[in-house]
C-alpha cells in the first residue's frame, strides 16, 4: 500500500493529508463490513477472499453513505464502477449536505 500511496501522491504519514490508503490482507475489515464477494462467478474462476468494489463516506466515525458497484451481470463491479467513483461520491456527499438525500 505504501508504494501505491506514493505512486498516487497520497501521504503515507497519518499526520498528513485527509486521505489514507490501508490494506486488508486477511479480509478482517471486508468481512466486518459485509463486503465479501461471494458470487459464484468470481469464486468459480478462483477469485476467493475478494472484496466487493465499494466506497464509504464516514464522518466522525459514522457511516453516512455506502455505495457498492455490483449488479447481477457484474458482481465484482468491474464493468460498472460508476457509483463508487469520485464524481458520484462527491455528488452524493453534496446532496446529503444539502439535505436532499438521507442516503446511507
Amino acid at each position: 500500500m505504501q508504494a501505491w500511496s506514493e505512486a498516487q501522491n497520497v501521504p503515507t504519514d497519518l499526520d498528513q493529508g485527509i486521505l489514507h490508503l490501508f490494506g486488508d490482507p486477511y479480509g478482517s475489515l471486508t468481512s466486518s463490513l459485509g463486503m465479501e464477494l461471494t458470487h459464484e462467478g468470481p469464486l468459480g474462476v478462483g477469485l476467493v477472499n475478494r472484496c466487493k468494489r465499494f466506497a464509504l463516506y464516514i464522518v466522525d466515525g459514522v457511516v453516512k453513505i455506502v455505495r457498492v458497484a455490483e449488479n447481477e451481470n457484474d458482481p465484482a463491479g468491474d464493468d460498472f464502477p460508476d457509483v463508487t467513483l469520485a464524481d458520484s461520491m462527491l455528488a452524493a456527499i453534496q446532496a446529503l449536505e444539502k439535505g436532499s438525500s438521507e442516503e446511507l
Side-chain angles (χ1 to χ4, degrees), residues 39 68-77 80:
H39 188 277
V68 182
E70 67 179 344
N71 67 48
E72 187 176 319
N73 297 323
D74 183 24
F80 304 101

Side-chain angles (χ1 to χ4, degrees), residues 6-90:
E6 290 170 358
Q8 301 303 314
N9 295 318
V10 174
T12 56
D13 185 341
L14 294 180
D15 295 331
Q16 297 177 353
I18 61 169
L19 175 69
H20 302 285
L21 304 180
F22 297 94
D24 185 22
Y26 301 106
S28 303
L29 179 63
T30 300
S31 178
S32 295
L33 292 172
M35 292 295 171
E36 295 167 299
L37 181 59
T38 58
H39 188 277
E40 62 190 37
L43 290 176
V45 294
L47 295 175
V48 295
N49 298 329
R50 183 168 174 196
C51 180
K52 294 179 181 180
R53 183 182 304 272
F54 72 97
L56 302 174
Y57 175 59
I58 303 170
V59 178
D60 295 327
V62 177
V63 177
K64 301 287 187 172
I65 298 173
V66 177
R67 292 285 182 93
V68 182
E70 67 179 344
N71 67 48
E72 187 176 319
N73 297 323
D74 183 24
D78 292 335
D79 295 331
F80 304 101
D82 305 7
V83 297
T84 61
L85 299 181
D87 289 342
S88 179
M89 287 299 291
L90 289 172

